[in-house]
Amino acid sequence: MLRDTIFDIVARSVAALRENGDLPDVALPAFEIERPQIASHGDYATNVAMKLASAAKAAGEKSNPRAIAEIIATRIRETVAVVPAYDLVETVEVAGPGFINLRLRPAWLLAQTGRVIDEGNSFGSVHVGRGKKINLEFVSANPTGPVTVGNGRGAFIGDTLAAVMRAAGYDVTKEYYFNDAGGQIDKLGRSMEYYLRLALGEADPSKPDEGYFGPYYETVAERMIASGAKKLLKLPEQKRASAIGEATAAAIMDDIRQTMAKMRVEFDVFFNQASLGPSGELQASIDELRAAGYIEEYEGAQWAKTNLFGDDKDREGNERGRVIVRSNGEPTYFASDVAYMRNKFLRGFDRLIMILGPDHHGYIGRLKAVAQMLGHAADDMHILIYQNVTIKGQRMGKRLGNIITLDEIYEEVGPDVTRFFYLMRSSDTHLDFDLDLARKQTDENPGLSVQYAHARASGVFRKAHEQGITESDYATADVTALAGDPPEQLDRELAMIRQLLRLEEVVERAALLLEPHHLTRYGMDLADAFHQFYDHCPILKQGADIPLDVRNARLRLLRAAQAGLARTLTLLGMTAPDRMERAETVERVEA
RNA sequence: GUGCCCGUAGCUCAGUGGAUAGAGCGCUGGCCUGCGGAGCCAGAGAUCGGAGGUUCGAGUCCUCUCGGGCACGCCA
C-alpha cells in the first residue's frame, strides 16, 4: 500500500540517521504517517520529528522539533534521490511545529492509472487480515416477527463489513442464528392459534393476554392455512402450542430470508438454536464447563461462574454468575449461548464477531466470560453494538404500535439506496433514516450520486464506441502525458487519482476498526472528485478540440475511475449501473 | 442504583492526539443549451453541551457534570 511505502521511506531515513548518531539518542517512539487535512500540505505528513523531540526532552536532552525535522527531511530527500523504488516523492518540506510533508510526483500518480485498471475487481484489496478465520454473526432476529428498520441495521453493517474484511484478506463466514427454541415459540404458537381460528371464521376465538399481535400475523395465518395448518388446531392441547409455534417460526423464517435476499444480504450459514439439544452439544458444553470447575449449584440450580471473568461485577447482590440449568432441570437460554459459541470455536474460527442491537449490550461481559471459560481470550469474542434507527419525521417504537418493516423501506427506495443510507452512519450513532431524501431521484441523493458517477463514465465509453473509438485506441495511452495539462485540468485529474488510491487505506481502516461506514464517505468523496474531473476535463466534447493523446489518456483515467467506483459500489452491496433510469423531471419553464 | 451509546453548522451526521474542524441536505447569490442539467461557481452559517485535567499539541484521552437514547431475569 502507498502509505506503507511512505512509512518505509521515513523509517529508513530515520534509521540511517540514528546509526550515524545524528539524532537524539533515545528509543524511537511510535510515529504516524497521515494524510494532511489541507491539500496544500502535501500528500502525506509525518510527526516523527515531534515525537522524537518529545522523547528527547523527557530524557533530559534539549531538543528542537523543527531542527530535527530539517535533519530528517534532508535525509529523506537524499534517500528518494538514490533509491529507484522511492522515486514517487517529489518534495519534502518541514512545516508548522515540526511536521514533515511529502508530496508525490504528478507523473507517478498518473501512472498509477494502469495499476488500478489492471487490478480491476480486486483493486483496493489489502492483506492485513492474513487469512484469519472470522465468524461474523449478524441479524439473528428471532423468528417471531418480520425484520424491522431497527434490527435490519445489523444486516447492512454485517454484510458490508464482511465484504470489506474479505477485501482486507480475512476469511469470513457470515452466519445467522435462529432462536427457534424455548418459551417464545410456545408463546408464538398461542398467538398464532388465535389468528388461525380468526382466519377460519371462528366466532370470538380466545386471545392470549400476552403474545405477538399485529396485522402481519394475519397474513402469516392466511399463508399457513393455505399450506394446511388447519390440522394443527386438532392436536391435543399440550402439543398444540409448540407445534403451531414451530410452524409459524418456519413461515416467518422464510419471510426473513426473503427480506434479506431482496436487500442482497447473504449468509453462508443459517444456524438453528433448536439443533443444539438433539446434537448433544448443549449437554457437552455444560459438562465441559463443569469439568473446568466453572459450575456450582445453588438452591437447586446450576450456576456458571461468569463473575470470575468480570461479568456482572457491578450487579448488586449476585456473586454467583448466571444460571445455566434451572432448578427444574431445564437448561436456560444462556446454556444455548455457551453451546453455540463452543460450536463456533470447534469449527476453527480464530475470532468471533457478533453484531447486535443496543438492547444487547449486556451480552458483552457475559459472552466474553464464556469465551474465557471455554479457554479462549476475551478478545476472541468481539461484540459490535449498533444504535437504534428511526425514520425522520416519524415517531415510532413498539409501544406506539407502528413498527416499520424493512420490506416497507425496500418498496419505497429499493436495495441500493437503502444500503447506502444505512451505511452512512457510524454504528455507534443513532440512525435517523431520511426517507424523503432517499426517495429523491436526483443528485441530491448521495447514494445515487455515486451510482450516477459510474453511469456517467459508462456513458462516455458508450459515446466513444459510437464514434468508432475502441479500447485498443487508448489501452496503451501514456497517461503521464496529462502532467502537461493546465492546472485547471491537471488538478482535477490528480485529485481523482489520489481519491482512487485512497481506497486501499479506507478498506484497511474499515476492516481493522470494524467500521464499514467509512466506505460510504469514501464513495461520496470519490464521486465528487469524479464529477469535478468530468466537468473540467472534456474528452469527447464537440468543439473542445482535444488532442488525440490527451483524449486517449483521459479515457484511460476514466476507465480507472469507473473501476474504482464499481469496486466501491460492489463492496457496499450496490449495483454499478451503466445508465441511470431517467426520472420524470419537471419540465423547465422557459423564461 | 449500575452499565453501554450519543451530544460538532438551521437539520442529519463525518472527523486517525496534529497544522486553518468537514460532508450531505437546507439557505443566499451568480452561471449555464449538454461528454444525458440528475449540471457548474461562489457565499453565509460552529464558543465541538459545560467545567477541570493529561501534553509540545485535545472535537478526539482522563475525571466530574448537564441533557438525550438503551438496557440491567431460574425470559428468549
Side-chain angles (χ1 to χ4, degrees):
Chain A
M1 204 197 325
L2 181 49
R3 198 185 55 213
D4 297 334
T5 309
I6 301 295
F7 185 91
D8 289 344
I9 292 171
V10 174
R12 191 166 156 169
S13 304
V14 170
L17 288 166
R18 284 164 64 79
E19 253 175 58
N20 294 344
D22 294 334
L23 290 175
D25 188 22
V26 292
L28 183 65
F31 62 92
E32 281 87 43
I33 304 292
E34 57 197 20
R35 286 179 176 274
Q37 284 178 16
I38 296 152
S40 62
H41 290 156
D43 288 291
Y44 287 96
T46 178
N47 58 0
V48 65
M50 289 181 289
K51 289 288 183 190
L52 255 178
S54 185
K57 194 177 170 191
E61 281 188 51
K62 65 171 187 169
S63 66
N64 177 345
R66 276 202 69 115
I68 293 174
E70 290 293 355
I71 294 169
I72 297 173
T74 302
R75 180 72 199 200
I76 292 174
R77 285 186 204 107
E78 290 163 7
T79 304
V80 300
V82 294
V83 182
Y86 293 162
D87 75 340
L88 67 169
V89 175
E90 183 177 59
T91 62
V92 183
E93 283 161 8
V94 175
F99 289 101
I100 301 170
N101 294 333
L102 293 92
R103 182 181 302 279
L104 302 179
R105 282 182 29 229
W108 183 87
L109 282 166
L110 291 165
Q112 297 309 299
T113 302
R115 181 169 74 86
V116 175
I117 294 171
D118 291 344
E119 293 184 16
N121 289 337
S122 64
F123 172 66
S125 297
V126 291
H127 301 101
V128 279
R130 298 173 188 280
K132 209 172 169 185
K133 285 192 71 174
I134 305 290
N135 181 283
L136 185 61
E137 183 199 328
F138 54 101
V139 188
S140 296
N142 291 354
T144 53
V147 185
T148 65
V149 292
N151 60 24
R153 188 172 186 186
F156 304 112
I157 294 172
D159 197 52
T160 293
L161 182 59
V164 168
M165 290 185 79
R166 283 171 179 168
Y170 292 93
D171 178 5
V172 182
T173 297
K174 298 191 276 183
E175 194 149 323
Y176 192 123
Y177 181 60
F178 276 110
N179 302 324
D180 57 346
Q184 63 172 349
I185 297 301
D186 289 357
K187 189 161 129 186
L188 181 66
R190 285 189 293 275
S191 305
M192 188 48 67
E193 180 173 345
Y194 162 76
Y195 282 110
L196 289 172
R197 291 186 188 283
L198 206 63
L200 288 166
E202 280 188 30
D204 201 22
S206 74
K207 186 176 178 180
D209 297 332
E210 241 186 89
Y212 301 95
F213 307 117
Y216 169 73
Y217 297 95
E218 292 171 21
T219 68
V220 176
E222 302 276 348
R223 286 200 334 259
M224 288 175 69
I225 286 167
S227 57
K230 194 174 172 181
K231 61 177 185 288
L232 294 174
L233 293 171
K234 294 183 180 124
L235 288 169
E237 180 144 11
Q238 319 96 288
K239 290 185 177 176
R240 210 189 300 145
S242 67
I244 296 175
E246 281 167 29
T248 310
I252 294 175
M253 267 188 231
D254 279 348
D255 282 354
I256 293 173
R257 286 178 187 236
Q258 274 182 35
T259 302
M260 292 296 109
K262 279 195 285 192
M263 289 296 192
R264 299 194 206 106
V265 175
E266 292 167 3
F267 292 91
D268 302 307
V269 176
F270 285 94
F271 195 98
N272 290 68
Q273 181 192 350
S275 71
L276 290 166
S279 71
E281 291 172 271
L282 209 49
Q283 191 56 50
S285 21
I286 294 167
D287 292 344
E288 189 173 322
L289 292 195
R290 192 189 317 280
Y294 293 132
I295 291 194
E296 278 181 13
E297 193 168 318
Y298 180 79
E299 290 182 352
Q302 312 281 321
W303 295 70
K305 307 285 294 172
T306 54
N307 55 314
L308 296 178
F309 298 96
D311 181 35
D312 285 346
K313 59 177 184 290
D314 297 317
R315 198 165 69 181
E316 203 178 332
N318 188 347
E319 287 93 42
R320 284 182 291 278
R322 286 178 188 276
V323 171
I324 187 163
V325 181
R326 299 186 185 95
S327 47
N328 66 7
E330 283 287 315
T332 60
Y333 182 81
F334 176 67
S336 297
D337 280 344
V338 176
Y340 183 40
M341 194 186 302
R342 178 175 168 274
N343 173 290
K344 283 177 177 171
F345 278 128
L346 286 176
R347 276 187 275 156
F349 293 107
D350 298 309
R351 194 169 195 220
L352 314 180
I353 300 174
M354 290 174 74
I355 300 176
L356 300 170
D359 50 337
H360 287 75
H361 74 255
Y363 267 45
I364 297 174
R366 179 193 319 189
L367 292 182
K368 280 181 175 289
V370 172
Q372 291 170 87
M373 288 194 290
L374 292 172
H376 297 268
D379 196 46
D380 291 344
M381 173 75 245
H382 186 87
I383 296 175
L384 178 61
I385 300 285
Y386 60 83
Q387 298 303 314
N388 277 325
V389 180
T390 50
I391 302 295
K392 194 172 186 176
Q394 284 193 38
R395 289 187 57 79
M396 55 183 305
K398 285 179 185 175
R399 274 174 233 108
L400 294 166
N402 56 345
I403 300 170
I404 298 177
T405 65
L406 205 50
D407 280 351
E408 291 172 73
I409 302 296
Y410 173 86
E411 297 300 331
E412 289 271 358
V413 297
D416 286 328
V417 171
T418 305
R419 292 187 67 117
F420 195 89
F421 271 62
Y422 264 96
L423 290 165
M424 277 199 293
R425 306 286 177 245
S426 155
S427 307
D428 282 341
T429 312
H430 173 92
L431 171 66
D432 201 24
F433 196 101
D434 190 342
L435 199 51
D436 288 332
L437 184 61
R439 268 193 284 248
K440 283 190 181 168
Q441 295 285 305
T442 72
D443 201 34
E444 294 155 41
N445 187 324
L448 289 184
S449 167
V450 182
Q451 290 185 306
Y452 181 52
H454 185 271
R456 265 186 152 176
S458 300
V460 175
F461 286 112
R462 214 163 32 241
K463 178 150 182 157
H465 185 73
E466 285 165 14
Q467 295 184 5
I469 304 166
T470 65
E471 189 95 32
S472 61
D473 290 324
Y474 52 85
T476 57
D478 177 17
V479 185
T480 60
L482 296 176
D485 278 355
E488 184 177 342
Q489 268 109 42
L490 182 60
D491 288 351
R492 266 79 183 204
E493 288 157 345
L494 291 176
M496 193 172 72
I497 190 83
R498 282 186 168 107
Q499 281 297 338
L500 279 170
L501 296 179
R502 197 161 71 89
L503 179 59
E504 290 165 334
E505 289 167 33
V506 173
V507 166
E508 180 179 292
R509 179 172 163 74
L512 287 176
L513 298 179
L514 310 180
E515 294 178 348
H517 71 278
H518 294 297
L519 220 49
T520 48
R521 289 277 151 184
Y522 171 74
M524 285 192 276
D525 288 345
L526 181 60
D528 194 49
F530 173 87
H531 289 302
Q532 288 265 330
F533 165 73
Y534 181 90
D535 287 321
H536 291 89
C537 305
I539 300 173
L540 303 175
K541 195 174 182 176
Q542 278 185 344
D545 197 26
I546 315 292
L548 269 191
D549 59 334
V550 170
R551 184 201 73 183
N552 290 341
R554 284 186 183 154
L555 280 169
R556 282 284 281 172
L557 194 48
L558 191 73
R559 188 60 93 191
Q562 186 188 34
L565 286 161
R567 177 72 164 140
T568 304
L569 288 165
T570 303
L571 286 170
L572 287 167
M574 298 168 69
T575 54
D578 286 328
R579 58 179 79 223
M580 299 294 277
E581 297 285 326
R582 244 196 200 290
E584 288 167 36
T585 48
V586 181
E587 285 294 316
R588 293 179 66 224
V589 182
E590 297 300 325

